[in-house]
Amino acid sequence: MTTEAAFASRYDQRVRLVRDVLKENTELPDAACQALAVRLLHTMDTIPERMR
């Protein structure tokens, strides 16, 4: 029996985490949650470290 582990980058893991939180707490469709998660992470990543 062989097991294949699917690689998921840290970025993909972060997007999935944010997407899942949005899905649990809003009534947005899956595609909208995914798009919003990507935009939120991009915005958070561009904020300078000192301001976070």
Side-chain angles (χ1 to χ4, degrees), residues 2 11 19 33 42:
T2 61
Y11 175 76
R19 182 196 65 211
C33 288
H42 174 72

Side-chain angles (χ1 to χ4, degrees):
M1 180 202 272
T2 61
T3 304
E4 273 190 50
F7 176 76
S9 69
R10 291 183 64 123
Y11 175 76
D12 291 335
Q13 293 172 1
R14 291 172 65 211
V15 169
R16 190 176 317 121
L17 176 67
V18 174
R19 182 196 65 211
D20 291 346
V21 169
L22 289 169
K23 282 170 50 175
E24 290 174 11
N25 295 291
T26 66
E27 295 180 5
L28 294 172
D30 291 345
C33 288
Q34 176 73 22
L36 187 55
V38 169
R39 291 189 65 191
L40 284 169
L41 283 177
H42 174 72
T43 301
M44 289 171 40
D45 288 343
T46 58
I47 296 172
E49 186 74 30
R50 285 188 268 159
M51 293 180 70
R52 287 190 239 164

